[in-house]
Amino acid sequence: MVPLFIALAIISGIGALLAATLVFAERVISNYGDVEVDINKGNKKLAMKGGGSLLETLTAQKIFIPSACGGRGTCGYCKVKVLEGAGPLLPTEEPYMDAEERSSGVRLSCQVKLRNDLKIELPAELLTIKEYVSVCEEIIDYTYDTKQFRLRLTDGQHMKYTPGQYVQVLAPQYEKSSEEVYRAYSISSDPADQAAIELIIRRVPDGICTTYLFDYLKVGDKVRINGPYGQFYLRDTTAPIIFIAGGSGIAPMKCILHNMKNTNNDRRAVFFFGIRTTKDLFLAEEMTRFETQLAQFKFVPVVSQPEPGAEWAGVTGRVTHIAEDYLRKQGNAHEHEGYLCGSPGMIESSIGILKKLGITEDKIYYDKFS
Amino acid sequence: MSLGSHMLHLSVILFAAIFTDNILLARFLGMCSFLSVSRQVKTAVGLGFAVVFVMTFTITLDWFAYRFVLQPYGIEYFRFILFIVIIAAFVQFVEMAIERYSPVLYHNLGIFLPLITVNCAILGASLFMVIRDYNLAEGIAFGFGSGAGWMLAIVAMAGIRERLNNARIPKGLQGPGITLIIAGIMALAFIGFTGVLSGG
Amino acid sequence: MKKSPQQRKLERLLQSSKFSASGFMGTDRRGLWEIIDEDAAEIAKRGKTMEEVAARMQQLTDLAEQGLGDWIQVSKNLHVAVDDNRGMIPCPWPHRVRCMKRITTARHIPSNTGVRWSDLNIHLIKEHGFFEGKGSPFRIEPGVLIDIIFSKD
């Protein structure tokens, strides 16, 4: 038997030795050094610290891969094509991959660890998605349930977006909401000015984000947004265009029209704007101005059920039917490109009509957001 | 002792640890992970292998620590602390190493390693090794056998529980309730091995 | 009545703004099960079942959907319209049901009364017998609802 204090010293010594071994091991074994991630064949090269997952490292570099589960490998959204350096597919990834993805090197970025240099491929749009802080500069009432919000990006930043794309707005915690939520809204402003964006938003009854924007947000408040997202933009062809939108679905069309004006685009284009009553009409003057500024553009607001006693000299009816009648009279209906934005029901029924008239599905463009 | 009888002696210890003196079903050690990770055979096998591996190696390390540190200084009463520290450090180390060198193995085995650090069966095996005064070879045989016995029990349990998914179980017994009852019945069954071998 | 932890959790969720800005309980001081019981009694008094009510609501929503937002005349005095909003709203009960944020409005012309419901309301009534707490934006009064959607003329 040795005295207690020596016994304690021995045990502590062994403990310290083991701790030192672990610290040393962590330095040597878990140190993956700096690794280089090559994105899109040399398009962008990032030097980052190894050891973390690809997803979290890219997020730290402000490249946002969509992910819903936060890197636990349960949602299967954060797929990234890894060309080189990822090692074998892990059992945790297998359930989310089909045969084609397996053979082309698609991986769940939350499961891929950065242990050596990687070559990966990302959709170009992911590289441009960023988070911005903006200040609400102006709120305009368009109708009883629709407003326009103008958001100026802080620190003189610009958002490079393609006209027609959308952003996500963050509604923070507020009196009526205990957590942050993101909602998607199309950009409606003139893309000539990329230091500020405008959004046209219709109130969703009791919606968490629109209630915040309509009842709580004041001019001067900060708003966090990220983007741009989406494949809804004007294709670079010479085909005649038919725009069909309902309500706040006018937003991306307005942005596209601004851009057509800025680029002197003289394609044939007609815009059917569907609303229920004359009270729902807004931006009519702006659209009429586009008619004079663009060589071959026509704006047709369509009121489906004018309120009794309203003075309405324009077209009355269902917007999809009016658009159908117009296309039938054109003779070259099948040559058109269809651009749609509005309620899911309106989009669905418009697609049906456009297809019936011989426009193939790959010439019909719309954003589903969710 | 001749080599032959030595081998026989070791195999008696090994099989006693697996069957007659099963650490889970005879000693009821390592119950918490036995109950919580026995829903699927696949994960049970993973956890079982991890236990076999960790038990075999920590019992070796603990044997050296006991024989060359605790005994010479007469401070055997510190074995609880020392064994736990060694087990924890070893598991950490192994986790780091396989994460680095074998990602596939890490995903099959590594996720279970932190779970094992707090598994009382691991510490229990080392303590039995001390109580029974095993030499190194006996200790290793006992460690491996105990791990294998634990794995046998959890895989059998997982197999039964997978079948239970199709059984109508009274509401109050679903989950841990029925699992404990099954564990009891399995323990009864293992009593049948008593006297076949003696690990002494 | 003693509540189970699941019931308490559900009530907390319904009161919170996790799903909609004002929650589902409104300013109602009654407990969830009281609300459900009292509304169920009202439905029974009118000689209807939850299934019948939900089925009729679904039928009206389907009819209204064809109008893409316009008023559709169902019978002489009953008009319905839908209002689509983007996105989905999940059911607060612990199962994986998500409904479109589609709102149907029904109007009874002679009495000048109206009632509106979301797709989620239909689900809540059909599966959970829940008409939401008083003061909630989407509270439906069972009596008013039955008067309008089952109106004879």
Side-chain angles (χ1 to χ4, degrees):
Chain A
M1 276 282 268
V2 294
L4 185 64
F5 73 91
I6 294 185
L8 279 175
I10 292 170
I11 297 298
S12 312
I14 295 177
L17 195 74
L18 288 171
T21 317
L22 280 183
V23 171
F24 181 71
E26 172 129 40
R27 286 270 166 79
V28 177
I29 299 182
S30 297
N31 181 2
Y32 297 84
D34 284 339
V35 297
E36 191 187 70
V37 177
D38 172 314
I39 301 170
N40 294 353
K41 303 204 173 97
N43 193 332
K44 196 167 180 177
K45 283 190 178 170
L46 297 170
M48 354 190 176
K49 224 173 128 43
S53 79
L54 180 59
L55 176 70
E56 67 192 34
T57 318
L58 287 175
T59 307
Q61 300 276 343
K62 304 266 179 212
I63 296 175
F64 298 103
I65 313 270
S67 161
C69 69
R72 282 176 300 155
T74 55
C75 72
Y77 287 170
C78 62
K79 285 179 184 170
V80 165
K81 199 165 175 181
V82 183
L83 305 174
E84 227 178 275
L89 196 68
L90 299 175
T92 37
E93 299 172 77
E94 267 165 19
Y96 303 102
M97 304 290 168
D98 60 28
E100 196 195 322
E101 288 171 328
R102 272 165 224 249
S103 58
S104 61
V106 174
R107 303 292 298 263
L108 291 187
S109 59
C110 67
Q111 301 296 309
V112 173
K113 269 205 117 183
L114 280 182
R115 15 180 126 250
N116 41 23
D117 291 358
L118 281 184
K119 286 193 186 348
I120 63 173
E121 224 175 82
L122 293 176
E125 66 158 8
L126 278 183
L127 292 176
T128 58
I129 293 173
K130 278 200 211 148
E131 198 161 31
Y132 300 88
V133 176
S134 67
V135 173
C136 178
E137 199 174 55
E138 181 190 47
I139 302 176
I140 300 175
D141 279 301
Y142 275 149
T143 71
Y144 57 97
D145 68 351
T146 305
K147 286 181 198 265
Q148 174 181 292
F149 297 83
R150 186 175 172 78
L151 308 173
R152 178 160 296 280
L153 307 179
T154 52
D155 302 329
Q157 291 191 88
H158 292 250
M159 188 190 289
K160 279 198 182 129
Y161 60 88
T162 310
Q165 287 191 301
Y166 65 92
V167 294
Q168 289 199 319
V169 174
L170 176 105
Q173 294 179 354
Y174 66 106
E175 192 187 331
K176 291 194 154 190
S177 168
S178 50
E179 57 188 272
E180 299 182 337
V181 295
Y182 280 102
R183 292 288 185 266
Y185 302 105
S186 295
I187 301 170
S188 67
S189 45
D190 186 340
D193 175 14
Q194 300 201 317
I197 59 165
E198 289 166 5
L199 309 172
I200 295 172
I201 300 174
R202 194 172 73 120
R203 183 195 278 271
V204 175
D206 210 33
I208 295 172
C209 191
T210 54
T211 303
Y212 167 74
L213 294 171
F214 275 64
D215 299 343
Y216 291 83
L217 185 73
K218 295 184 300 294
V219 170
D221 286 353
K222 286 209 160 73
V223 181
R224 272 165 59 197
I225 53 178
N226 62 45
Y229 299 91
Q231 301 298 320
F232 186 73
Y233 52 84
L234 193 66
R235 285 357 188 224
D236 189 16
T237 65
T238 52
I241 302 164
I242 178 159
F243 296 109
I244 307 177
S248 58
I250 196 175
M253 313 303 188
K254 175 168 176 279
C255 187
I256 289 174
L257 288 166
H258 276 298
N259 196 51
M260 288 176 74
K261 188 197 86 187
N262 297 344
T263 55
N264 289 320
N265 191 326
D266 58 359
R267 279 167 76 175
R268 256 177 90 83
V270 56
F271 178 10
F272 293 97
F273 180 42
I275 49 215
R276 182 143 90 187
T277 66
T278 58
K279 279 195 311 195
D280 295 305
L281 182 63
F282 61 97
L283 281 175
E285 274 176 37
E286 185 109 27
M287 292 296 135
T288 325
R289 202 171 324 132
F290 280 129
E291 286 187 327
T292 61
Q293 290 163 335
L294 289 165
Q296 297 194 69
F297 172 67
K298 217 172 142 32
F299 174 64
V300 184
V302 181
V303 176
S304 57
Q305 292 184 325
E307 55 276 52
E311 280 179 34
W312 177 246
V315 183
T316 307
R318 190 77 54 76
V319 63
T320 45
H321 295 174
I322 303 294
E324 183 177 3
D325 291 346
Y326 164 83
L327 280 176
R328 282 196 193 288
K329 282 188 205 127
Q330 296 307 302
N332 63 345
H334 63 281
E335 287 170 14
H336 284 70
E337 284 177 2
Y339 292 85
L340 318 173
C341 189
S343 69
M346 190 216 84
I347 288 183
E348 212 172 294
S349 116
S350 302
I351 294 173
I353 284 167
L354 296 184
K355 272 161 73 175
K356 198 168 68 187
L357 289 166
I359 303 182
T360 51
E361 209 151 336
D362 58 323
K363 295 274 177 57
I364 304 172
Y365 308 103
Y366 54 94
D367 247 332
K368 267 200 173 135
F369 284 116
S370 52
Chain B
M1 231 192 297
S2 73
L3 185 68
S5 67
H6 199 77
M7 289 308 291
L8 183 68
H9 176 60
L10 287 185
S11 60
V12 166
I13 290 183
L14 176 72
F15 285 105
I18 298 177
F19 295 108
T20 56
D21 200 19
N22 187 295
I23 197 157
L24 221 168
L25 294 171
R27 303 279 171 187
F28 287 98
L29 288 173
M31 281 303 277
C32 44
S33 32
F34 176 66
L35 294 180
S36 57
V37 196
S38 58
R39 276 199 195 91
Q40 286 178 341
V41 171
K42 205 178 150 204
T43 46
V45 169
L47 184 62
F49 273 118
V51 167
V52 172
F53 176 79
V54 171
M55 222 179 237
T56 313
F57 280 90
T58 57
I59 223 168
T60 314
L61 290 173
D62 287 347
W63 187 87
F64 279 103
Y66 189 76
R67 179 75 182 71
F68 294 108
V69 180
L70 297 180
Q71 265 187 337
Y73 292 102
I75 48 172
E76 291 91 339
Y77 53 87
F78 268 129
R79 60 179 181 272
F80 290 87
I81 295 179
L82 190 62
F83 287 180
I84 288 186
V85 171
I86 289 175
I87 292 167
F90 176 75
V91 170
Q92 286 276 315
F93 186 83
V94 170
E95 197 187 349
M96 266 188 249
I98 66 171
E99 184 174 8
R100 169 104 207 208
Y101 299 110
S102 172
V104 175
L105 187 65
Y106 178 72
H107 275 267
N108 285 323
L109 209 62
I111 41 176
F112 300 115
L113 285 174
L115 250 154
I116 293 174
T117 320
V118 290
N119 189 326
C120 44
I122 310 277
L123 179 63
S126 286
L127 294 173
F128 279 127
M129 177 241 342
V130 169
I131 293 169
R132 296 174 184 172
D133 206 13
Y134 284 143
N135 65 29
L136 180 59
E138 291 168 339
I140 294 175
F142 177 70
F144 181 80
S146 296
W150 197 91
M151 178 169 169
L152 174 74
I154 195 171
V155 172
M157 171 61 95
I160 294 172
R161 285 185 76 175
E162 279 192 357
R163 297 219 151 190
L164 279 185
N165 290 339
N166 304 324
R168 292 220 320 268
I169 299 161
K171 207 163 193 167
L173 279 182
Q174 281 170 8
I178 192 77
T179 315
L180 278 170
I181 292 175
I182 295 167
I185 298 172
M186 283 170 71
L188 283 175
F190 267 67
I191 286 182
F193 290 114
T194 312
V196 174
L197 293 162
S198 161
Chain C
M1 187 181 75
K2 195 163 157 28
K3 292 172 188 166
S4 72
Q6 286 91 334
Q7 290 176 342
R8 273 196 305 255
K9 184 176 173 208
L10 178 60
E11 281 195 344
R12 254 202 328 275
L13 272 180
L14 289 169
Q15 277 153 3
S16 76
S17 53
K18 202 167 158 44
F19 303 95
S20 74
S22 322
F24 294 94
M25 297 295 270
T27 51
D28 211 318
R29 305 288 293 266
R30 298 173 298 170
L32 170 62
W33 311 102
E34 270 178 90
I35 298 177
I36 289 178
D37 285 348
E38 284 174 29
D39 289 336
E42 175 73 23
I43 297 284
K45 205 170 77 188
R46 300 299 198 92
K48 300 281 178 205
T49 65
M50 294 290 176
E51 286 74 29
E52 285 167 6
V53 171
R56 175 67 174 159
M57 290 164 82
Q58 187 65 54
Q59 185 191 15
L60 292 178
T61 294
D62 292 344
L63 280 170
E65 178 62 33
Q66 295 161 13
L68 296 182
D70 293 346
W71 289 103
I72 296 279
Q73 194 168 358
V74 179
S75 61
K76 189 167 134 256
N77 290 319
L78 182 61
H79 293 201
V80 290
V82 286
D83 189 7
D84 270 326
N85 291 291
R86 285 186 180 278
M88 310 280 277
I89 183 166
C91 171
W93 261 261
H95 54 181
R96 288 158 173 264
V97 171
R98 283 149 56 89
C99 295
M100 294 231 295
K101 291 185 178 175
R102 177 168 63 178
I103 296 166
T104 309
T105 310
R107 252 191 352 209
H108 186 243
I109 309 299
S111 63
N112 196 22
T113 49
V115 62
R116 70 165 184 179
W117 62 81
S118 68
D119 281 21
L120 181 59
N121 277 122
I122 303 179
H123 166 79
L124 288 176
I125 291 172
K126 185 173 167 206
E127 301 294 333
H128 313 296
F130 184 45
F131 287 78
E132 304 200 4
K134 288 190 195 293
S136 158
F138 281 90
R139 160 75 185 173
I140 298 172
E141 287 302 334
V144 177
L145 176 72
I146 288 179
D147 282 343
I148 294 173
I149 65 176
F150 291 106
S151 65
K152 285 285 173 284
D153 48 4

